[in-house]
């Protein structure tokens, strides 16, 4: 089959299309299209430019005269031959149905797209020789797919010969039923991104407001050499029980000038590489990256609204599930550079012994709702398939973001599985944390499922089953599955109950001692079932949404005025305590108490059974000034402040780093199985005292030495008897959060521990038995 494609030119039946004349800018062709679409013969042309073809026989074109509207309106009859010569002759064959997306074959570049309900599909192409100043918006070559030859089942497909092997921009225009009550949202005026596009082209500089309304398109690369992972390269393969996770944002990590990096590197994948020494000094061995799939940081600025001053810096608004965020490439390098540098980042982290876990968003996309839709891909390709709709064709919203991906539909499920495998095989990531994962447990109508097909498929997949798999086990529709997430003894969970119970005990709420003990011991009430382990609970006090650790001890109330939502966004119940004053203060006693509380939280986290996770910036006491929903601030509110780190290197950072290293050194905190009575002694005969806020216990370890821990959440000293150490050992003080640095943590221990210890108000201690 030969599909003759132009933007707006024409020829008579004897004309032959030649290869593109590179001297003609695409903008001129685009201008001609405006005229041609008004005057094309509907009998001879489809969409005003393309001859329909059967087999290998081309339909003849009829001659015509035209005006080309460029900078001036002039008659161009003498230019007709020139225009004909500039239109590319793109030969094609029907192509293959598999794989979906773009693939290279012996015959050319194959395009395959699923759309069950589409009535017409047009492949839109922009070639790499469009000119330095041209953009995809200047016009695209369009190839109409013939359903009789370019469709098999629900797959539309075409193989285009002699296309460049990289830097071609492409998308689809799709038409179909217009009945919204049946769930359809087709709009054939929009060029849509291929759900299987491996790279995304468009705006290249993050936050470049001069180009904020530019569109994003799919592209591909079959020209680059395979990435060199190195002969000595190997993934760390850290046991889950040994993980210490650092939740971080790629851009925010080095976007601030205080990072000391060159401007072209700030906020990029390469910036992360430069700061690996910091991660090693801190002691973490896994990074959990906030979304790095392509997203539009200007999504709040598409129309006037109270949030149109914000820039999406967290990234929870996915455009495509395969492409790394283009604008995290250095120096505006574009999609191919972004892909290359992402791999360089992963390789460098792995060589440093640090695993890479991606925070992935498969519960919704950027396309919003029907009130303010932003059609870029799935909505216009086949809304009824890709999104959950009710009986009236209206979008269901279990994500809180206007739409809900139809995850357990077979087609969507396979898309998700293919995406995950792509990140494992192509980019060598070690695992995934699934945002609002309870959405993945809903049927196509939103009904909760006991055995969701997608969750099971991920668990049983030969590639994905080797990865770390972590669920955020709730959604915005009220499906709270902490401790009950369908898991097949594989899935770990963000332990939201751990967060809440630890916060309440440390800040001094009554009646929390028993729950605190349960959480520190590994949450057996949640996870000791079937073959689940303590490490299936990911423990955290702080995550990206909510207060930072510093703000948790400095604010009783959220302060979200900068978000533009009149304080209606963000959680109202933060289980926080400001230690006596709201916000910043010069009171030295309050400041000391806050620092003590931060250390108490960190100590509890690092001695708990399960996998600890901390938030980027908490190691130096980052503040967002009480904003507990800072998703839209590409500023110092979210950006890591390297100057503050330097200023607190010998106090806050030192305590955090030494405590992480102490955990990694002592196996007693990283048990494979739930601890029993032979592994722990609770020094407690006061469990029923609702007013009690003190707890002490010993973890038994014959190798490194027993560990004694005591937490005092009272506002007064507690003089506690210290148990006898094991035979031929004596107690050394490792931690007392009431002491100032460097005495607050001394890894080798301090002698002089007597029969009792006076534990200060709102403080905690750790003793270790040594020979």
């Amino acid at each position: 089959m030969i599909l003759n494609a132009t933007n707006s030119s024409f020829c008579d039946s004897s004309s032959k299309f030649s290869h593109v004349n590179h001297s003609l800018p695409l903008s001129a062709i685009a201008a001609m299209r405006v005229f041609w679409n008004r005057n094309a013969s509907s009998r001879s042309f489809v969409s005003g430019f393309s001859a329909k073809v059967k087999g290998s026989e081309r339909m003849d074109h009829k001659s015509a005269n035209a005006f080309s509207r460029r900078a001036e309106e002039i008659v161009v009859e003498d230019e007709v031959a020139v225009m004909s010569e500039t239109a590319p002759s793109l030969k094609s064959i029907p192509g293959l149905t598999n794989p979906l997306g773009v693939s290279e074959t012996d015959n050319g570049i194959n395009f395959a797209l699923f759309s069950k309900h589409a009535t017409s599909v047009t492949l839109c192409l922009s070639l790499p020789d469009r000119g330095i100043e041209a953009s995809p918006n200047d016009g695209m070559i369009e190839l109409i797919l013939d359903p009789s030859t370019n469709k098999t089942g629900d797959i539309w497909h075409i193989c285009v010969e002699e296309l460049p092997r990289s830097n071609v921009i492409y998308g689809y225009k799709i038409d179909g039923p217009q009945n919204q009550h049946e769930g359809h949202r087709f709009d054939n005026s929009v060029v849509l991104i291929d759900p299987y596009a491996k790279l995304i082209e468009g705006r290249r500089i993050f936050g470049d407001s001069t180009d904020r309304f530019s569109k994003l398109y799919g592209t591909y690369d079959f020209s680059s050499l395979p990435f060199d992972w190195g002969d000595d390269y190997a993934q760390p393969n850290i046991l889950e029980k040994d993980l210490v996770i650092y939740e971080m944002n790629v851009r925010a990590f080095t976007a601030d000038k205080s990072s000391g990096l060159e401007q072209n590197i700030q906020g990029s994948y390469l910036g992360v590489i430069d700061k690996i020494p910091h991660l090693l000094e801190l002691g973490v061995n896994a990074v959990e990256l906030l979304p790095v799939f392509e997203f539009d940081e200007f999504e709040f600025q598409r129309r006037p609204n109270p949030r149109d001053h914000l820039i999406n810096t967290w990234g929870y608004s996915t455009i495509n599930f395969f492409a790394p965020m283009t604008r995290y490439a250095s120096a505006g390098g574009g999609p191919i550079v972004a892909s290359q540098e992402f791999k360089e980042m992963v390789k460098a982290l792995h060589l440093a012994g640090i695993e890479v876990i991606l925070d992935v968003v498969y519960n919704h996309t950027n396309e919003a709702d029907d009130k303010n839709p932003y059609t870029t891909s799935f909505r216009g390709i086949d809304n009824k398939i890709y999104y959950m709709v009710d009986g009236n064709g209206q979008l269901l919203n279990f994500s809180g973001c206007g739409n809900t991906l139809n995850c357990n539909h077979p087609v969507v499920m396979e898309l998700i599985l293919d995406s995950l495998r792509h990140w494992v095989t192509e980019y060598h990531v070690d695992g995934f944390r699934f945002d609002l994962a309870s959405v993945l447990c809903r049927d196509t109508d939103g009904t909760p499922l006991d055995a969701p097909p997608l969750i099971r498929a991920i668990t049983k997949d030969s590639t994905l089953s080797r990865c770390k798999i972590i669920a955020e086990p709730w959604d915005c529709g009220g499906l709270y599955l902490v401790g009950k997430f369908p898991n097949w003894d594989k899935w770990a969970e963000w332990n939201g109950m751990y967060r809440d119970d630890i916060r309440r005990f440390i800040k001094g709420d009554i009646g929390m001692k028993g729950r605190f003990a349960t959480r520190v011991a590994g949450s057996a009430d949640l996870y000791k079932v079937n073959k689940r382990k303590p490490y299936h609970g990911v423990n955290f006090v702080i995550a990206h949404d909510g207060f930072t650790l510093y703000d948790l001890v400095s604010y009783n109330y959220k302060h979200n005025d900068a978000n533009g939502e009149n304080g209606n966004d963000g959680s109202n119940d933060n289980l926080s305590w400001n230690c006596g004053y709201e916000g910043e203060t010069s009171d030295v006693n309050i400041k000391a108490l806050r620092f003590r509380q931060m250390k108490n939280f960190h100590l509890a986290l690092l001695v708990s059974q399960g996998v600890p996770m901390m938030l980027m910036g908490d190691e130096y006491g980052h503040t967002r000034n009480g904003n507990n929903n800072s998703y839209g601030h590409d500023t110092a509110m979210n950006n890591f402040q390297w100057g503050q780190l330097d200023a607190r290197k010998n106090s806050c950072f030192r305590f955090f780093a030494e405590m992480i290293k102490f955990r990694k050194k002592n196996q007693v905190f990283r048990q494979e199985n739930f601890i029993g009575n032979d592994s722990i002694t609770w020094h407690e005969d006061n469990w029923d005292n609702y007013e009690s806020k003190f707890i002490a216990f010993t973890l038994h370890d014959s190798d490194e030495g027993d560990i004694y821990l005591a937490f005092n959440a009272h506002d007064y000293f507690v003089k506690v008897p210290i148990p006898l150490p094991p035979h031929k050992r004596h107690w050394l003080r490792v931690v007392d959060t009431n002491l100032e640095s460097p005495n607050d943590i001394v890894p080798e221990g301090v002698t002089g521990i007597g029969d009792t210890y006076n534990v200060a108000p709102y403080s905690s201690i750790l003793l270790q038995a040594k020979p």
Side-chain angles (χ1 to χ4, degrees):
M1 184 195 299
I2 303 174
L3 294 182
N4 296 318
T6 89
N7 289 285
S8 56
S9 57
F10 56 90
C11 65
D12 61 25
S13 59
S14 61
S15 298
K16 299 282 188 181
F17 285 103
S18 65
H19 290 293
V20 177
N21 183 335
H22 302 331
S23 64
L24 183 68
L26 206 59
S27 56
I29 301 177
M32 288 184 289
R33 179 187 178 126
V34 175
F35 178 84
W36 180 249
N37 281 345
R38 290 197 200 103
N39 296 279
S41 165
S42 60
R43 289 194 308 159
S44 302
F45 292 85
V46 181
S47 295
F49 71 92
S50 178
K52 207 175 203 180
V53 174
K54 296 289 184 182
S56 61
E57 188 175 325
R58 179 173 60 83
M59 293 178 65
D60 290 334
H61 291 254
K62 294 187 177 181
S63 61
N65 293 327
F67 287 90
S68 176
R69 298 180 181 238
R70 292 166 133 182
E72 303 172 346
E73 288 190 351
I74 57 174
V75 177
V76 290
E77 290 182 347
D78 293 338
E79 205 171 324
V80 168
V82 176
M83 293 302 144
S84 299
E85 291 174 1
T86 67
S89 177
L90 297 179
K91 296 181 180 180
S92 70
I93 57 178
L96 305 173
T97 61
N98 188 58
L100 291 174
V102 181
S103 57
E104 187 176 35
T105 71
D106 293 339
N107 297 313
I109 304 298
N110 193 80
F111 299 81
L113 175 80
F114 169 88
S115 182
K116 179 181 177 66
H117 296 103
T119 55
S120 72
V121 173
T122 300
L123 174 64
C124 304
L125 300 170
S126 182
L127 304 184
D129 47 22
R130 57 192 178 276
I132 296 175
E133 301 300 326
S135 74
N137 298 323
D138 291 330
M140 302 184 87
I141 300 165
E142 297 186 352
L143 304 178
I144 294 177
L145 276 62
D146 185 344
S148 65
T149 55
N150 296 107
K151 185 184 181 188
T152 304
D154 296 328
I155 308 297
W156 300 75
H157 48 85
I158 184 173
C159 182
V160 184
E161 301 177 5
E162 298 183 356
L163 274 183
R165 300 180 69 229
S166 64
N167 292 316
V168 171
I169 291 173
Y170 78 102
Y172 295 94
K173 288 184 177 179
I174 300 179
D175 206 356
Q178 299 300 306
N179 190 343
Q180 285 207 7
H181 295 296
E182 293 181 357
H184 302 303
R185 304 293 189 274
F186 290 103
D187 182 353
N188 65 358
S189 69
V190 180
V191 179
L192 302 166
I193 298 170
D194 177 7
Y196 276 80
K198 303 304 188 295
L199 300 170
I200 299 295
E201 179 63 276
R203 187 173 59 254
R204 291 188 170 193
I205 304 297
F206 191 96
D208 180 7
S209 60
T210 63
D211 201 22
R212 62 182 174 179
F213 295 119
S214 63
K215 290 203 62 171
L216 303 176
Y217 300 90
T219 186
Y220 58 82
D221 175 31
F222 299 114
S223 297
S224 297
L225 294 174
F227 182 76
D228 181 10
W229 291 96
D231 295 335
D232 298 328
Y233 165 82
Q235 294 181 231
N237 290 322
I238 299 169
L239 296 176
E240 288 174 292
K241 70 182 183 65
D242 294 333
L243 290 174
V244 180
I245 299 175
Y246 186 78
E247 191 193 31
M248 60 174 286
N249 181 310
V250 166
R251 173 167 171 78
F253 195 44
T254 63
D256 196 80
K257 291 181 179 179
S258 64
S259 67
L261 303 181
E262 294 180 8
Q263 186 174 357
N264 286 337
I265 303 298
Q266 292 171 11
S268 70
Y269 301 121
L270 295 188
V272 174
I273 297 176
D274 193 270
K275 297 300 183 181
I276 287 176
H278 168 71
L279 301 175
L280 292 175
E281 187 178 6
L282 180 59
V284 297
N285 56 20
V287 292
E288 184 174 298
L289 305 180
L290 265 63
V292 293
F293 293 4
E294 186 72 33
F295 66 92
D296 181 4
E297 70 271 26
F298 284 118
E299 66 172 340
F300 308 124
Q301 301 187 23
R302 293 193 293 266
R303 57 183 175 80
N305 69 91
R307 299 190 296 167
D308 60 14
H309 61 293
L310 299 179
I311 292 178
N312 184 344
T313 188
W314 284 359
Y316 289 90
S317 197
T318 308
I319 284 177
N320 172 276
F321 297 124
F322 290 84
M325 179 61 173
T326 301
R327 288 168 297 289
Y328 286 171
S330 65
I336 296 176
V337 172
S339 176
Q340 174 84 10
E341 292 181 351
F342 187 96
K343 294 172 185 176
E344 291 179 18
M345 177 189 70
V346 172
K347 178 180 177 180
L349 287 165
H350 282 172
L351 291 174
I354 299 172
E355 293 198 336
V356 179
I357 298 170
L358 301 187
D359 189 340
V360 292
V361 187
Y362 292 109
N363 59 80
H364 76 284
T365 76
N366 66 298
E367 295 187 298
D369 54 20
D370 287 329
K371 182 179 180 181
N372 297 294
Y374 183 42
T375 302
T376 59
S377 183
F378 310 94
R379 178 183 173 92
I381 293 172
D382 207 329
N383 184 84
K384 190 173 182 179
I385 296 295
Y386 283 109
Y387 296 113
M388 293 184 190
V389 295
D390 64 17
N392 296 315
Q394 302 305 299
L395 293 168
L396 295 172
N397 183 15
F398 298 109
S399 67
C401 297
N403 62 66
T404 308
L405 207 65
N406 199 8
C407 299
N408 284 298
H409 186 285
V411 170
V412 184
M413 181 172 73
E414 195 59 36
L415 169 76
I416 294 172
L417 292 170
D418 287 342
S419 164
L420 293 169
R421 295 185 197 109
H422 178 69
W423 287 98
V424 174
T425 58
E426 182 73 14
Y427 293 102
H428 290 202
V429 303
D430 303 281
F432 305 93
R433 175 266 187 189
F434 292 81
D435 181 65
L436 298 182
S438 289
V439 164
L440 281 59
C441 301
R442 293 182 181 272
D443 205 348
T444 55
D445 62 357
T447 304
L449 296 167
D450 292 331
L454 175 60
I455 302 300
R456 184 185 187 282
I458 292 172
T459 309
K460 303 298 182 181
D461 186 85
S462 60
T463 298
L464 303 178
S465 61
R466 301 195 301 268
C467 299
K468 276 75 176 181
I469 305 175
I470 305 168
E472 182 183 35
W474 52 80
D475 64 19
C476 293
L479 190 55
Y480 188 78
L481 295 175
V482 174
K484 298 175 290 185
F485 192 86
N487 56 79
W488 281 270
D489 298 324
K490 170 63 179 175
W491 284 72
E493 301 174 15
W494 267 24
N495 190 346
M497 290 189 184
Y498 180 95
R499 172 199 59 204
D500 296 347
D501 291 344
I502 299 297
R503 286 186 179 192
R504 292 184 63 188
F505 177 83
I506 295 293
K507 79 184 184 74
D509 284 1
I510 60 175
M512 292 304 300
K513 182 163 61 175
R515 294 186 67 84
F516 178 83
T518 299
R519 300 296 158 242
V520 170
S523 297
D525 61 327
L526 301 176
Y527 303 117
K528 193 175 182 181
V529 59
N530 298 329
K531 296 181 181 179
R532 302 198 84 182
K533 304 291 185 179
Y535 53 75
H536 287 128
V538 176
N539 300 325
F540 67 103
V541 177
I542 303 296
H544 64 275
D545 50 352
F547 283 148
T548 65
L549 185 58
Y550 178 89
D551 289 355
L552 185 70
V553 300
S554 303
Y555 294 91
N556 285 350
Y557 310 101
K558 65 184 183 184
H559 296 264
N560 294 1
D561 292 343
N563 297 354
E565 299 187 53
N566 297 317
N568 293 320
D569 66 306
S571 174
N572 293 318
D573 189 10
N574 297 283
L575 303 176
S576 62
W577 177 43
N578 64 17
C579 296
Y581 187 86
E582 187 75 359
E584 294 302 318
T585 178
S586 58
D587 189 308
V588 294
N589 293 321
I590 292 178
K591 292 170 72 173
L593 175 56
R594 288 175 175 175
F595 184 28
R596 196 156 71 245
Q597 288 288 77
M598 290 172 63
K599 291 187 287 186
N600 292 333
F601 279 119
H602 190 62
L603 175 63
L605 178 66
L606 270 296
V607 302
S608 296
Q609 302 298 323
V611 176
M613 184 190 78
M614 63 172 291
L615 176 67
M616 175 189 86
D618 280 349
E619 66 266 39
Y620 67 81
H622 184 85
T623 181
R624 296 175 183 153
N625 302 310
N627 192 316
N628 73 350
N629 194 28
S630 64
Y631 63 94
H633 297 280
D634 187 39
T635 65
M637 184 183 293
N638 282 308
N639 292 343
F640 196 102
Q641 300 299 299
W642 294 91
Q644 292 183 25
L645 171 68
D646 292 340
R648 300 165 189 170
K649 204 68 177 286
N650 295 322
S651 55
C652 188
F653 175 81
R654 178 184 175 276
F655 183 90
F656 274 60
E658 292 294 348
M659 196 59 235
I660 291 172
K661 293 165 188 174
F662 189 79
R663 174 189 175 88
K664 292 166 69 176
K665 183 180 179 182
N666 289 273
Q667 180 69 30
V668 70
F669 304 126
R670 301 176 282 114
Q671 296 295 313
E672 176 77 20
N673 298 301
F674 289 94
I675 56 178
N677 293 333
D678 57 339
S679 301
I680 189 170
T681 298
W682 299 99
H683 307 294
E684 183 62 61
D685 55 8
N686 208 13
W687 289 109
D688 296 330
N689 185 349
Y690 194 69
E691 303 292 329
S692 176
K693 305 175 187 178
F694 181 90
I695 190 169
F697 55 95
T698 297
L699 295 169
H700 301 295
D701 184 355
S702 58
D703 295 326
E704 293 296 328
D706 285 8
I707 302 287
Y708 173 88
L709 286 146
F711 292 85
N712 179 20
H714 288 289
D715 58 2
Y716 52 80
F717 280 88
V718 173
K719 190 174 183 179
V720 59
I722 302 299
L724 290 174
H727 183 59
K728 292 185 179 181
R729 296 193 177 224
H730 62 281
W731 292 113
L732 300 177
R733 188 197 76 230
V734 177
V735 173
D736 186 338
T737 61
N738 185 52
L739 301 177
E740 295 183 0
S741 183
N743 296 316
D744 51 2
I745 181 166
V746 183
E748 64 273 16
V750 176
T751 60
I753 304 300
D755 296 336
T756 61
Y757 198 105
N758 212 16
V759 185
Y762 299 110
S763 70
S764 46
I765 64 170
L766 184 155
L767 311 178
Q768 187 169 27
K770 289 290 188 181

